[in-house]
């Protein structure tokens, strides 16, 4: 996770992500607008355009089929009118109707009666006209003349049905009494699923006061109506036109099977789909919905007025999947092109980012080497003109920094040599002064008054303190020199040694020193390691709180949150002493800095020596503490 975070924070990756994502976003938005449009700009997009084209084709097909159906029905009505309004037919029917009613009243309508009727001139006249109609148009299976009072077929092109009671087969025929009334319905044969269409109108025989007869034409829907609804290839493989009645019951067979087990029987099955419901409700329009299979479709719906009391609904539909199949293929091709485009843009963006940031990365790597102490490192002068100027300026700064650091190194070496020489040279007169004081103490016993003895004692103590300061200065100046030998130091043994040497102080204070188990070996000169831990433990024993048993803990943090150098481990020494005010957290590592001048007899160089040793091996040290709550020193050292 940290590596990913570092990768995303690089300039190269930011440029790559910025331009790459920007292009991808533009490409996606462009494709989305092209497909789905932009409403605010009145741009519909390819999806809406394809949908509008499909609706236009469905609308046109629905209007055309409605027009053809109405025209076909009107032609059939015209055929009825030709026969029904013929004076010859009306005159002949008057005689046949009169004879039929007389015989029917006597209850003698047997086969002999119908044979006598068929021999009559009037019957032959009627048959001649309706036979001409049958042969001329070839649209009819049968033509009947029916008595509306009894429901009996009086004349028919099929003589086998003469005398047949037909009201059970033709619903609504008995109500046909208006002079200009028409009846249109569809009837299913009881023995099968074949459908017949009936068109009828009333006829008034010559001299009759009311219409007592009906001219009934039988039409096979499979030969004439279903071909009118055929969609052909114009609406694809899933195109379908179907008729429903006012209750959304199907009047023609469905093209596709139902999703559930069962059969869609015409005149029985009602379509629950919205387009059929709207058409049955005498509405017209277009809709995107689901059909009787539950499949998404685009549909146009119309209503057809076939008679004063009968209307049909017409639905012309096509599966949405087929309508948009080409659109989906285009989308797939566009998606492939988008992916290829994204790949090339990502690649070009990466190379562009690399060409821009590669030289900068070189400068960054050089800066890291300089931070690690290699002042001989130089950035390569390459890339754009601006980057070249940056690299040259950076290299010039490094050269100036190296000159300054060399001069500073020389001054530090001179200063350390001076400190070492001064401390060393001051030892001789100091030793001489201490010798004279010792001689005076031995030769003048009992000859000095109280004030003189006090002054002599104070002078001796001051010279001893001065001697310790000189010793600490010598030790501090020697730390900078490379240690004579670096090896593995066993911390458990080292801390046992420190505890043994500090035993008197530990016993006197009652302190407890807790050492974490399995501490790793550190890679350091043993004397330097001793100075670090000895100084820290000594400080913890020195700055204790009154009335509180000192507790000192030494250990290592396995997974530190703070960054440490590679191959370093983070150690700590913590106590429950007087603590350190935050304002002193940095100052205590300075030379001759003492937090409490009244405690201890140190010179204030211990922590300065510790920090110098730790920094010499690329480690670091810091303290966390508040006044009165103890202190914890954290420091990193190289480990095995």
């Amino acid at each position: 996770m940290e590596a990913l975070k570092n990768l995303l924070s690089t300039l190269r990756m930011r440029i790559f992500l910025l331009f790459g994502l920007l292009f991808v976003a533009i490409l996606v938005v462009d494709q989305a607008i092209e497909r789905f449009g932009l409403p605010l700009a009145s741009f519909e997009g390819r999806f809406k355009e394809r949908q509008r084209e499909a609706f236009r084709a469905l609308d046109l097909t629905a209007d055309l089929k409605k027009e053809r159906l109405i025209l076909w029905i009107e032609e059939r009505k015209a055929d009825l009118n030709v026969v029904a309004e013929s004076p010859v037919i009306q005159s002949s029917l008057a005689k046949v109707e009169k004879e039929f009613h007389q015989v029917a009243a006597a209850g003698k309508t047997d086969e002999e009666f119908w044979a006598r009727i068929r021999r009559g001139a009037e019957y032959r006249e009627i048959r001649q006209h309706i036979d001409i109609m049958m042969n001329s148009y070839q649209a009819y299976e049968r033509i009947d003349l029916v008595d509306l009072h009894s429901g009996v077929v009086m004349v028919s092109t099929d003589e086998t049905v003469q005398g047949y009671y037909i009201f059970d087969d033709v619903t609504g025929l008995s109500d046909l009494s208006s002079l200009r009334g028409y009846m249109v319905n569809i009837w299913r044969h009881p023995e099968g699923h074949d459908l017949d269409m009936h068109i009828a109108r009333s006829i008034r025989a010559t001299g009759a006061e009311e219409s007592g007869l009906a001219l009934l034409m039988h039409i096979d829907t499979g030969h004439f109506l279903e071909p009118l609804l055929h969609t052909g290839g114009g609406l694809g493989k899933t195109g379908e036109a179907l008729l429903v009645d006012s209750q959304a019951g199907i009047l023609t067979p469905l093209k596709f099977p139902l999703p559930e087990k069962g059969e869609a029987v015409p005149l029985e099955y009602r379509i629950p789909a919205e387009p059929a419901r709207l058409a049955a409700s005498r509405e017209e329009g277009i809709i995107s919905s689901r059909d009787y299979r539950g499949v998404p479709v685009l549909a146009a719906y119309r209503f057809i007025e076939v008679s004063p009391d009968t209307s049909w609904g017409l639905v012309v539909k096509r599966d949405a999947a087929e309508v948009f199949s080409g659109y989906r293929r285009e989308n797939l091709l566009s998606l492939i092109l988008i992916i290829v485009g994204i790949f090339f843009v990502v690649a070009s963006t990466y190379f562009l980012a690399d060409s821009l940031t590669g030289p900068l990365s070189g400068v960054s790597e050089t800066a890291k080497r300089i931070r690690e102490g290699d002042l001989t490192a130089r950035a390569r002068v390459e890339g754009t003109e601006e980057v070249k100027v940056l690299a040259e300026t950076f290299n010039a700064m490094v050269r100036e920094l190296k000159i300054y650091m060399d001069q500073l190194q020389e001054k530090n070496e001179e200063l350390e040599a001076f400190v070492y020489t001064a401390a060393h040279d001051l030892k001789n007169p100091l030793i001489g002064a201490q010798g004279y004081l010792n001689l005076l103490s031995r030769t003048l016993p009992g000859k000095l008054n109280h004030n003189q003895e006090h002054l002599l004692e104070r002078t001796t103590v001051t010279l001893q303190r001065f001697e310790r300061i000189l010793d600490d200065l010598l030790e501090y100046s020697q730390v900078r020199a490379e240690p004579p030998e670096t090896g593995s130091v066993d911390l458990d043994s080292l801390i046992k040694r420190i505890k043994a040497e500090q035993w008197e102080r530990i016993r006197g204070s009652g302190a407890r020193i807790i050492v974490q188990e399995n501490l790793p070996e550190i890679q350091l000169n043993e004397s330097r390691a001793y100075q670090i831990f000895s100084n820290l433990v000594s400080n913890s024993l020195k700055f204790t709180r009154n009335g509180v048993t000192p507790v000192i803990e030494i250990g290592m943090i396995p997974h530190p949150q703070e960054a440490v150098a590679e191959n370093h481990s983070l150690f700590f020494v913590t106590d429950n002493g007087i603590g350190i005010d935050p304002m002193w957290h940095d100052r205590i590592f300075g030379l001759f800095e003492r937090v409490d001048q009244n405690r201890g007899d140190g010179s204030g160089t211990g922590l300065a020596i510790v920090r110098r040793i730790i920094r010499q091996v690329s480690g670091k040290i810091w303290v966390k503490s508040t006044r009165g709550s103890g202190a914890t020193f954290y420091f990193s050292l190289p480990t095995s």
Side-chain angles (χ1 to χ4, degrees), residues 35 38 69 141 169 245 418 505 585:
R35 282 162 175 73
L38 193 62
L69 278 168
E141 285 189 320
D169 295 342
D245 59 21
F418 171 75
R505 183 180 287 179
H585 284 185

Side-chain angles (χ1 to χ4, degrees), residues 538-558:
S538 177
N539 279 346
S540 294
L541 290 171
K542 187 185 302 181
F543 298 102
T544 59
R545 283 188 287 170
N546 295 329
V548 178
T549 301
V551 177
I552 303 168
E553 186 177 354
I554 303 170
M556 184 195 75
I557 299 176

Side-chain angles (χ1 to χ4, degrees), residues 522-538:
I522 60 174
Q523 301 298 308
L524 195 63
N525 178 266
E526 187 171 0
S527 64
R528 299 290 191 246
Y530 176 83
Q531 287 177 294
I532 294 172
F533 284 91
S534 178
N535 272 299
L536 293 175
V537 171
S538 177

Side-chain angles (χ1 to χ4, degrees), residues 282-548:
R282 306 173 65 87
E283 296 186 32
E284 296 190 343
I286 54 176
I287 190 174
S288 175
S289 181
R290 293 183 180 271
D291 68 355
Y292 55 85
R293 301 166 294 162
V295 175
V297 295
L298 303 182
Y301 51 93
R302 301 288 187 270
F303 81 92
I304 301 172
E305 189 87 42
V306 295
S307 69
D309 58 350
T310 303
S311 65
W312 293 343
L314 170 67
V315 176
V316 181
K317 65 182 182 65
R318 188 181 181 189
D319 287 5
E322 184 180 33
V323 172
F324 298 111
S325 60
Y327 172 76
R328 291 189 176 94
R329 286 194 296 270
E330 293 174 5
N331 282 351
L332 180 60
L333 179 60
S334 298
L335 180 61
I336 295 173
L337 294 177
I338 288 173
I339 293 174
V340 173
I342 289 175
F343 172 78
F344 282 108
V345 167
V346 167
S348 59
T349 303
Y350 178 82
F351 288 120
L352 174 63
D354 185 67
S355 64
L356 291 175
T357 62
L360 293 178
S361 298
V363 175
S364 176
E365 291 298 325
T366 304
K368 290 180 181 178
R369 291 173 57 190
I370 293 170
R371 185 183 64 186
E372 293 170 357
D374 183 10
L375 293 179
T376 62
R378 296 293 183 272
R380 289 187 300 178
V381 181
E382 60 182 5
T384 62
E385 191 63 31
E386 294 82 356
V387 177
K388 288 180 179 179
V389 172
L390 175 63
E392 291 173 350
T393 305
F394 179 80
N395 289 337
M397 292 172 58
V398 174
R399 285 192 294 269
E400 293 178 4
L401 178 62
K402 187 174 186 308
I403 293 172
Y404 172 77
M405 293 300 294
D406 289 342
Q407 292 175 350
L408 182 61
Q409 176 73 14
E410 183 179 352
K411 296 294 183 183
N412 284 337
E413 290 175 355
E414 291 176 358
L415 182 59
E416 289 178 3
F418 171 75
V419 169
Y420 179 81
T421 301
H424 185 272
D425 290 347
L426 286 173
K427 290 281 285 187
N428 290 329
L430 178 62
I431 293 171
Q434 287 177 326
Y436 288 128
L437 286 175
N438 289 334
L439 180 61
L440 287 173
S441 298
R442 290 195 303 268
T443 58
L444 298 174
K447 296 181 181 181
L448 301 175
N449 60 32
H450 178 72
N451 289 335
Q452 290 171 337
E453 289 179 353
H454 180 68
L455 288 173
L456 183 61
E457 183 181 352
R458 289 289 302 275
T459 303
T460 301
V461 172
T462 301
L463 289 177
Q464 289 174 349
R465 177 173 174 76
F466 187 40
E467 183 181 15
R468 283 195 300 273
I469 291 174
L470 291 178
D471 290 339
D472 289 341
L473 277 175
L474 286 172
E475 184 177 7
Y476 182 79
S477 62
Q478 289 174 350
V479 168
R480 187 170 181 83
E482 289 295 330
E485 184 178 345
T486 298
S488 297
V489 179
D490 183 2
L491 287 180
D492 291 332
S493 300
L494 182 71
I495 294 172
K496 286 179 180 178
R497 175 185 163 194
I498 293 171
K499 289 168 67 176
E501 294 179 358
Q502 301 276 356
W503 176 247
E504 290 297 331
R505 183 180 287 179
I506 293 172
R507 185 179 64 178
S509 63
R512 289 192 304 119
I513 298 179
I514 303 171
V515 182
Q516 192 180 95
E517 295 181 355
N518 301 320
L519 290 176
E521 292 183 343
I522 60 174
Q523 301 298 308
L524 195 63
N525 178 266
E526 187 171 0
S527 64
R528 299 290 191 246
Y530 176 83
Q531 287 177 294
I532 294 172
F533 284 91
S534 178
N535 272 299
L536 293 175
V537 171
S538 177
N539 279 346
S540 294
L541 290 171
K542 187 185 302 181
F543 298 102
T544 59
R545 283 188 287 170
N546 295 329
V548 178

Side-chain angles (χ1 to χ4, degrees), residues 244 247-250 254 258-260 269-278 289-294:
V244 296
Q247 303 298 318
I250 58 174
L254 301 179
L258 298 177
E260 68 275 4
Y269 178 73
R270 293 185 180 182
I271 296 179
E274 187 69 7
R277 186 193 67 79
L278 292 171
S289 181
R290 293 183 180 271
D291 68 355
Y292 55 85
R293 301 166 294 162

Side-chain angles (χ1 to χ4, degrees), residues 21-36:
L21 293 178
L22 180 62
F23 176 81
V24 170
I26 292 174
L27 193 61
V28 170
V29 171
D30 175 71
Q31 291 297 317
I33 291 175
E34 183 181 358
R35 282 162 175 73
F36 303 109

